[in-house]
Amino acid sequence: MRDTPEQLDWIRLVPPREEGRVPVEEPSLPRSAHRLAVLGVLENQQMRIELLPSHERMLATLRGRFEDPESVVDQTELLWSEVEAALRADPESLEKAMRLEASGGVPNLFREVDGHFEFADCFRRPPEVRKGLSYEKAKELADAWGITLMDEKTYLDFLSRAGVDKYTTTLLFTPDEMLERKGHAKLGKRLYGRPIVTSIPAKNPGEKTAFRCVFRVKKV
């Protein structure tokens, strides 16, 4: 299967083969349909998910980062076999990783929490397309990607595991009440080696400020 402009946002769900079973006819689907094309779906039937080559490449990239001894994130307590099974069972998660990758985010696994694997932007230096954006613009981009901005609690745990933000700062998810009352957005950084959260004018975050996104994948 080759990646074409029409295929890049599609995943094929193919029912497992069974001897003597009559193949289910594939329905015709409009180009405007959702990213998941469901072919021959039967209720309560276990499905085998066939990934597109672009998703297989993203999966290989994530595995390479997981196995990299110089990774910015400590992943020693996690098993790649479990992570890969979760990603293959949820192809939309690979779509999210591809969006972050395209924007220079360097997505990588950083923890397991509440029965989910959590991935985050793990860039050491902010990519140009992420730098100096207002909070509103950063959140607009994250929402368009179907991904969330990193919040304060997640950020503090993230920095306890990842050796980043030594010379840069990160815009964090900010409640509307704080934005409306003070006009400030939450900002994460390291101060004398310790992770802290402060605030900054939401419309003028500074040239060294970027934003990080996170997404979850349910364990299987």
Side-chain angles (χ1 to χ4, degrees):
M1 188 188 305
R2 297 180 58 190
D3 293 347
T4 66
E6 293 79 18
Q7 289 174 323
L8 284 176
D9 286 332
W10 289 71
I11 309 296
R12 295 188 65 210
L13 298 184
V14 184
R17 295 180 179 178
E18 296 181 14
E19 291 187 9
R21 185 179 181 82
V22 178
V24 179
E25 183 179 356
E26 297 184 356
S28 60
L29 295 169
R31 290 175 181 243
S32 60
H34 194 61
R35 284 186 172 83
L36 294 182
V38 182
L39 306 180
V41 176
L42 298 179
E43 187 176 1
N44 298 324
Q45 180 179 2
Q46 184 180 3
M47 307 299 291
R48 186 185 78 252
I49 300 178
E50 182 182 337
L51 299 180
L52 291 171
S54 56
H55 296 90
E56 291 285 4
R57 289 193 293 271
M58 189 70 248
L59 188 64
T61 296
L62 293 174
R63 178 171 185 169
R65 289 177 184 153
F66 181 89
E67 296 176 344
D68 184 357
E70 297 183 0
S71 171
V72 299
V73 187
D74 179 10
Q75 303 162 320
T76 54
E77 297 180 357
L78 303 173
L79 295 176
W80 175 253
S81 59
E82 295 182 351
V83 178
E84 180 172 347
L87 290 168
R88 287 188 176 277
D90 181 11
E92 177 62 19
S93 63
L94 291 169
E95 292 273 343
K96 294 177 180 179
M98 290 167 65
R99 294 179 198 123
L100 296 183
E101 185 78 2
S103 66
V106 192
N108 199 356
L109 173 68
F110 85 97
R111 69 176 179 178
E112 178 186 338
V113 59
D114 299 331
H116 292 74
F117 293 114
E118 198 155 77
F119 291 75
D121 287 313
C122 293
F123 52 79
R124 288 183 170 88
R125 299 278 184 177
E128 290 298 321
V129 295
R130 300 279 194 103
K131 292 168 59 177
L133 299 179
S134 67
Y135 176 82
E136 181 180 359
K137 183 60 178 178
K139 189 173 186 304
E140 180 182 318
L141 284 173
D143 290 345
W145 297 336
I147 308 171
T148 60
L149 291 178
M150 191 173 286
D151 61 26
E152 178 178 346
K153 183 178 179 181
T154 301
Y155 179 78
L156 293 175
D157 187 41
F158 175 68
L159 254 62
S160 72
R161 303 166 185 262
V164 298
D165 276 4
K166 297 178 181 179
Y167 310 104
T168 55
T169 55
T170 295
L171 283 172
L172 303 175
F173 176 79
T174 305
D176 291 340
E177 180 183 352
M178 180 176 176
L179 290 169
E180 295 170 358
R181 188 176 72 250
K182 296 184 177 181
H184 277 214
K186 291 187 177 184
L187 184 77
K189 62 180 181 180
R190 289 185 190 272
L191 184 63
Y192 302 114
R194 295 180 55 211
I196 68 166
V197 173
T198 180
S199 65
I200 196 171
K203 294 184 178 180
N204 185 25
E207 294 182 359
K208 293 185 178 181
T209 297
F211 66 95
R212 297 181 189 273
C213 296
V214 295
F215 66 89
R216 286 184 168 190
V217 185
K218 188 175 181 180
K219 291 185 66 176
V220 294

